[in-house]
Amino acid sequence: MSKRYAEVARQLVGEIGQGVHPVGSTLPSEPALALALGVSRSTVRAALDELQKLGMVSRRPSLGTRVEAAEPQRAGQGFSQTLGSVEAISQYAADTRREGLTLADMVADREKAKRLGLPPGSRWLRISYCRVDRKDPEAPPICWTDVYVDAQYADHVRARMATHVGAVSELVEEAAGRRIAEVEQTLRASGVPERMAEALQAPVNGHALEITRSYFLGAGELALLSVSIHPGDRFAYVSRLVRAE
């Protein structure tokens, strides 16, 4: 395959940056790109892998390759992620690795129900772990995440978590037989909780970004909720605001 894929990757990066393939659009299929560029499908696939690593595209089976950003989103230490789609969240999960995975059944008492916005007395599977960058496993963890899965999907998720590398929401979709329709996301400033500080290699109450995501299968049908704590120097979010005509 030589380095032809790198040339194709640079060409696609340039075309995306110039707006030939706008953010939010879907790239032509691998066969179509291969034909247009005069290369093999394996070369196109390798080039798209590079764009995916740059955070410029997301790729999902049967959905194609979606343009997520007009320029490379990852630079220096830590992670940068666009807010463009549910697929982008899934890709972030695939590009990182879980450490210290623990699972436990939980009933939402009044305090936890109020804090997380869960129905009091509802049952959940809590999954906790740190995320590390696959490309730099020696770097401090990117974040600590607690995931809460509705009990009706817990058995399916529990049985597959040890080997699953993608987002937990993908397992919920498998169990439910439906796609996640909407993700509500809240970002707020916070401190690093004492129980997470050692694992995160961060000072207690140090500056942090807390990201809460609620995943809905349908209107008001909460299937999964996640809370992630990112020490302030290890993560950035990038969003694009487009003026409505």
Side-chain angles (χ1 to χ4, degrees):
M1 186 164 52
S2 73
K3 294 296 184 180
R4 181 69 173 118
Y5 79 92
E7 298 173 10
V8 173
R10 283 194 293 272
Q11 180 175 340
L12 291 173
V13 167
E15 290 179 355
I16 291 172
Q18 295 163 14
V20 176
H21 308 293
V23 172
S25 68
T26 300
L27 290 179
S29 66
E30 289 182 6
L33 283 173
L35 180 63
L37 298 172
V39 298
S40 66
R41 286 188 63 180
S42 60
T43 296
V44 169
R45 190 173 300 116
L48 292 176
D49 285 343
E50 293 302 309
L51 267 65
Q52 187 170 296
K53 292 173 185 176
L54 293 173
M56 296 183 69
V57 302
S58 62
R59 305 171 71 192
R60 290 289 296 275
S62 76
L63 296 179
T65 302
R66 186 181 191 277
V67 179
E68 299 290 353
E71 58 186 22
Q73 297 299 303
R74 197 173 303 165
Q77 290 187 332
F79 251 80
S80 178
Q81 183 183 344
T82 66
L83 293 172
S85 67
V86 176
E87 286 74 22
I89 296 173
S90 298
Q91 187 55 51
Y92 164 64
D95 284 348
T96 59
R97 177 170 55 85
R98 298 182 183 93
E99 276 192 354
L101 182 70
T102 62
L103 295 87
D105 293 315
M106 184 202 82
V107 177
D109 58 23
R110 285 188 178 182
E111 186 276 330
K112 191 172 291 293
K114 181 178 180 181
R115 180 167 61 85
L116 298 176
L118 302 175
S122 57
R123 296 182 177 275
W124 301 82
L125 171 65
R126 185 179 67 194
I127 306 168
S128 300
Y129 51 84
C130 282
R131 278 208 178 276
V132 298
D133 189 347
R134 287 183 181 277
K135 298 172 66 176
D136 190 5
E138 299 302 318
I142 299 165
C143 69
W144 173 292
T145 298
D146 289 320
V147 179
Y148 302 88
V149 177
D150 189 299
Q152 63 182 309
Y153 311 120
D155 289 345
H156 182 89
V157 173
R158 191 196 308 273
R160 289 160 177 76
M161 274 305 301
T163 57
H164 182 65
V165 297
V168 180
S169 59
E170 295 172 345
L171 296 179
V172 171
E173 289 178 332
E174 290 178 7
R178 289 183 287 158
R179 301 294 303 277
I180 295 294
E182 182 180 357
V183 180
E184 181 180 287
Q185 187 165 236
T186 302
L187 287 74
R188 60 169 60 91
S190 70
V192 176
E194 184 175 359
R195 70 183 180 94
M196 305 176 187
E198 183 176 355
L200 286 173
Q201 302 173 35
V204 176
N205 293 325
H207 295 303
L209 175 67
E210 179 182 301
I211 302 176
T212 301
R213 296 190 182 105
S214 300
Y215 295 73
F216 297 91
L217 289 168
E221 190 178 351
L222 179 65
L224 179 149
L225 180 141
S226 69
V227 181
S228 296
I229 300 293
H230 301 262
D233 59 345
R234 301 178 198 170
F235 193 85
Y237 250 104
V238 178
S239 62
R240 292 174 60 84
L241 305 179
V242 179
R243 185 180 299 278
E245 295 297 334

